[in-house]
Amino acid sequence: MTVSSSIAVGSHVWIEDSEEAWLDGVVIEVDGEEIKVECTSGKIAVASVANVHPKDLDAPSCGVDDMTKLAYLHEPGVLFNLRCRYDVNEIYTYTGNILIAVNPFQRLPHLYSNDMMGQYKGVALGELAPHPFAIADAAYRQMINEGISQAILVSGESGAGKTESTKMLMQFLAHMGGRVAAEGRTVEQQVLESNPVLEAFGNAKTVRNNNSSRFGKFVEIQFNNNGRITGAAIRTYLLERSRVCQVSDPERNYHCFYMLCAAPKEDTEKYKLGNPRMFRYLNQSNCYELDGVDETKEYLSTRRAMDIVGISSDEQDAIFRVVAAVLHLGNIEFAKVSESDASQPKDDQSQLHLKTAADLLMCNEESLEDSLCKRVMVTRDETITRSLDPEAAAISRDTLAKIVYSRLFDWLVNKINRSIGQDPDSKFLIGVLDIYGFESFKTNSFEQFCINLTNEKLQQHFNQHVFKMEQEEYTREEIDWSYIEFVDNQDILDLIEKKPGGIIALLDEACMFPRSTYETFAEKLYQTFRDHKRFTKPKLSRSDFTIGHYAGDVTYQTELFLDKNKDYVVAEHQALLSASSCSFVSGLFPPLPEESSKSSKFSSIGSQFKQQLQSLLETLSATEPHYIRCVKPNNLLKPAIFENSNVLQQLRCGGVMEAIRISCAGYPTRKTFDEFINRFMIIEPSVLNGSYDEIAVCRKILENSGLKGYQIGKTKVFLRAGQMAELDSHRTRILGRSACVIQRKVRSYLARKSFISLRMSAVQVQAFCRGQVARHKYWHRRRDAAALTIQKEAQRFLARKAYALLSSSAILIETGMRGMAARAELLFRKQTKAAILMQSHFRGFLACSRYLWLKAATIATQCAWRGRLARKQLRMLKMAAKETGALQEAKIKLEKQVEELTLELELEKQIRADIEEAKNRENAKLQSALDEMQMQFEETKKQLVKGIEDAKKTTNEQVQVQEVPVVVDSELVDRLTDENEKLKSLVNSLEKGIEESNKLSEDRLKQALDAESKIIQLKTEMQRLEEKISDMEETQDQMRKQSLTNIPSRKMSGRISQPTQPLENGDHEPQSVRPNKAYGSESSKNLSKSNIQRQRESTDVLLKCITEDLGFSEGKPVAAFTIYKCLVNWGSFTTEKTNVFDRLIQKIGSAIEVEEANNDYMSYWLSNTSTLLYLLEQTLTDTVSTPGKPPQSSFFGWMSFRSSRSFSIRKVEAKYPASLFKQQLTAYVEKIYGIVRDNSKKDLLSLLSSSSSSIQAPKLSSENSQSVNTNHWQSIIESLNGLLTTLKNNFVPPVLVQNIFTQIFSYINIQLFNSLLLHRECCTFSHGEFIKAGLDELELWCTQEQEYAGSSWDELTRVQQAVGFLVIHQKSRITYEDLTTDLCPILSPQQLHRICTLYWDEDFNSQGVSPDVISSMKVFITEDAADADADDTSFLLDDTLSSIIPFSVDDINNSLRQSDFTLVKPAAQLAETPGFEFLLQGQG
């Protein structure tokens, strides 16, 4: 990139340096194409203009979290940004969507806590600080939303932290997936538990790392359609098999060999092992031990890890037998058999190792020797056995060792996968690739060649992804990018793997020819690729070659290429191990098809490597990639050391610089409109005078700068390489001219200030001289005036003295005369007053005497009347005192009367029955006599009629014949007449007797009916008295211990306490006095049933009433008051068993479940439940009375309580139902309180979320920024006002309101504080002022609502101190003591370090705290981290404290203690209901 046009004296630039890679300095001289630079280190250097890069002076001191935001995207800018962030422990940085992770070589537990995972869950990439959690979350969200499998490629050299980054990724994915395995271990735990096993068998010490993975690991986390983890698998690639047989100094072989040699004695004896120096596969290097590593402990740890992943003890034993056999195979040496080309074990030691290897592999010793020293060639006609020379036998031995170890490693991976559990039906997966990075050593052999080929392939994949991201960015911004060329590394890949002319193909060809050597192979390479631009031949070497990789040139030594590439699949080896008596060994070598088992087939490591690499890339191509580049800051593996050259080389090897080069081919500099305008508006300030269009302003600035080739997108300005430097140069020139103008104005101001000062000095001198002259003249005039004044005053004194003498003489004479007259008048008035006084006293005596007489009479009258009233009242009191005994006596008397009346009734019934029977008999006799007399009467009547007829006949005959005198028997007539009269009188007497008998019967019947009605009336009265006595006994039981007066001397006698009988429905049967008669018990039972029924009906009415909004009376909830009065009147608190409380709790619970989101409704019930709880607390005591001995109480006290016209609360002993009800009510108060609080938090969450404007100040270019600020914080205050109004309107106790606001303000403090520490763009001076203005409004509101929210303001202390730090000036002068004692005393070192490192000033680029302060913080953080858990070292605040219940029942009692319930009115609709008249008692 050419920047010659923008370089001038005074420009800040970066120049190359051989030691520090890049140095920054100031240009002090420009000489054509060369410049002289004074570096900040004091060094003076000369450099070419073409090799320097401009430095961005406006870059934050702690760097930017996304390097695409850098003004200058070049090597020194990237390197300096990473170093700045590393110095403040910001180890993660984005480059677009690529994460760069610098290994801190120390614990940073606050970055990986569960709280941190919760913060990154569901947050868009780039919204929070860079972190592996953000990459994992982006991959997970993309998989869920788009249905595409994802891959996260973690790369870097040994020691860069790839394994730790992989652990973090899997931890987050397990957190998101949420699946738990059968044994209680998550998938992430199972995968991590397999790491020790894989590291033991797949890791080794290399030049740069003591624990370098020598294989690629691709961990697949499998998910279902719902995004839940269903399984996992570990795929391994490209195991470095050649390391088993060949190790370079100072590297080591795989760890498992050294662990087994250091195993406990019984194991080493079992496997016939000893010091690793005695084994050829281990003693090729002089490094046998690692610093700080105990191989014995590692061996035991590996054994435990094998147990965890499900490898049985028998399998473990077989595994280590195979490992030991590999070591013994390496010690077998071969020698020539005399006079033949055949080979055999060299000596007895070799023969011993051969035998030991055969024993460990459980195969035949002779067969093992034959498989190493002989080959069987199968022809068409016969089978030929050919002996191998010692060199070929050694190759066969190494081939066997490599294939055995490779099969063992594959078996371990498969076993681990079976232990973890795979899901064959999984739809999606997220793969995490952990693979070795680019390697370039002093000596590079076949292993480095294969590793660098892998990285070339991955770099091509990476370049395609980067270019794709660039295309998406340009397409999204709708700019033209068609002319941008994509630079690929396909030519290098063709050089290495193209068929048939690639390096691998030529290597395989050389390996197939027995007489080929590394020299002939090198010569073949020179001939084939002498014209290739990526291939060169070193000048001083005959067998080396150099390839120009993307990360730099690497020179390879071909000496061991052929040996390391050979990998024969020997049929003899296959047959030998398949026939092993050890099932484990034979399982590693299953039988091959017959056609392939008859001959040896050549296979090369390079070809297999290429096939595995192709399989890996096919897997990656089927997924959406994400990249994490791990960087090792130093080779000492120590914290706080950042080696520029080392890091820069890793950035090149990791492809980061290649990605930057791709970006530079397009538009490397991208600025949003507001950032671009804020930085370059000084170039064209006229466009900002009024309302403006951001795009038009940007275009105007660019046009005035004379730039070409830029692009303006929808939200950003895209600049070509070098254009940012030109703009900065133009800006610097304008700033320079502005500085000259400012300097000129300042100098003018200073000169004018000096002139004005001199002029004012001259004026002051002149004024002083004139003042002196004037003061002298004034003094003379003042002296003359004083002389005249003295003379005048002296003359006045003399004249006044003579006048005063004359005046006093005259006054004295007048005084004497007036005194004589006054004394005479006084004497006269005294005499008159004395006479009047004597008269008044005499009249008063007369009036007083009469008054005393009247008073004595009145008092006597009053005393007599009051005595009469007192005696009457005394009699009434005595009667009241005797009422209990009288009632009992009346009861007994009534019982006796009832008994007597009952007996009389029975007797009356008997008499009545006898009378009825006698009457019936008499009536029957009378009736028979009457019938007989009627018959006689009829006969007599007939005789009379007959006689009359005969007389008429005779008369007629006399008339007809002649008159014949008739002779009448008068005696007979008289007798008949008398008899007739007797019969009539008898009939009348019988009828009268019947009537009297009927009347008597009716009278007796009436008396019997009256007796029955009186009996019924007496029974009713007796029941009423029994109920009253029972009520009084119950009252006395309840008030016995509370009574303050003595029990009256006359106690109720004959009282029988009946035990409470539980009924089936759970209600309480009232106590009653059991009468002695049978009919009394039946009526008592009926009465109890009627009481229970009335209780049920009353409870139903009450429950129906309280479901309605009854409102408030005198500031008290009507529903709570009504419930309390009902429970008191029903005596529910002292009942052993009742369901009233259960029904009340169920009704309250169902009521609040309906509208939990309605704070108004919840506040109504919070007020009712808390008030009812207060009343219960004041009423109930926890003392339990002794069964069978109910407590006595004052009768008069209870009667006065029942008849009182004012509301009062008395203590009663709580039975179990009442105590349980109080506990349940307490739980509901806490539940409703939590609902109200959590609803309020939800309302505030949207206003306090990180995406809202609560912590993000409006842009400077916005005209209505002040209104946005006011409106947003006003919304928060309106929400708080609405909540407070709701609580006030529902008369919630003040202590609950205060606690609600205290916890809400604590929640606001946590949200604001955590958002500040998680969003770097918010840790600025302007954002601090924005938040401070909002906090001032909150403080004003708290002051206005002092009663309810005054103490809540203290909960915002942390965010106040954090904001106070942001808005303070001259932070660089602040010391650590100032921070911890004055500014931010309650913030932890982690929080102080976080906010100090995140701070930046986007407007004025002011400096933060000094590096010394940061260093002091690091020391304290390190000390704290050593003693604390991971959760304790997090800089984020925990929200658990704002979710507890912060009050107790005593707090509610104290808050309502002064409440007066006297004037509270119960529910009007309930008071009018029959049976609830008691609610109106005590109402005025």
Side-chain angles (χ1 to χ4, degrees), residues 85 167 270 375 506 553 667-668 1047 1176 1200 1255 1328 1437:
R85 292 180 61 80
K167 290 178 182 178
K270 182 196 303 184
R375 287 288 176 270
L506 295 177
D553 294 343
Y667 299 95
I1047 300 176
L1176 294 181
S1200 63
I1255 62 171
L1437 296 181

Side-chain angles (χ1 to χ4, degrees), residues 486-551:
F486 171 63
V487 181
D488 199 1
N489 62 342
Q490 185 61 43
D491 54 345
I492 302 177
L493 298 176
D494 292 341
L495 169 68
I496 296 174
E497 61 179 1
K498 186 178 180 180
K499 289 185 178 181
I503 294 176
I504 293 179
L506 295 177
L507 179 62
D508 290 346
E509 182 181 344
C511 291
M512 296 177 67
F513 291 99
R515 298 187 180 277
S516 294
T517 64
Y518 69 90
E519 294 175 339
T520 59
F521 168 65
E523 190 63 30
K524 182 70 172 177
L525 293 178
Y526 299 151
Q527 294 176 3
T528 306
F529 304 113
R530 60 176 176 270
D531 297 330
H532 201 287
K533 63 180 180 178
R534 299 282 189 172
F535 184 91
T536 57
K537 175 182 179 299
K539 294 181 179 180
L540 302 179
S541 175
R542 299 180 58 189
S543 60
D544 299 350
F545 66 92
T546 301
I547 295 179
H549 292 285
Y550 71 92

Side-chain angles (χ1 to χ4, degrees), residues 474-488:
Y474 298 153
T475 303
R476 187 165 53 249
E477 292 291 329
E478 298 180 358
I479 66 173
D480 182 18
W481 53 273
S482 58
Y483 59 88
I484 299 175
E485 296 183 0
F486 171 63
V487 181
D488 199 1

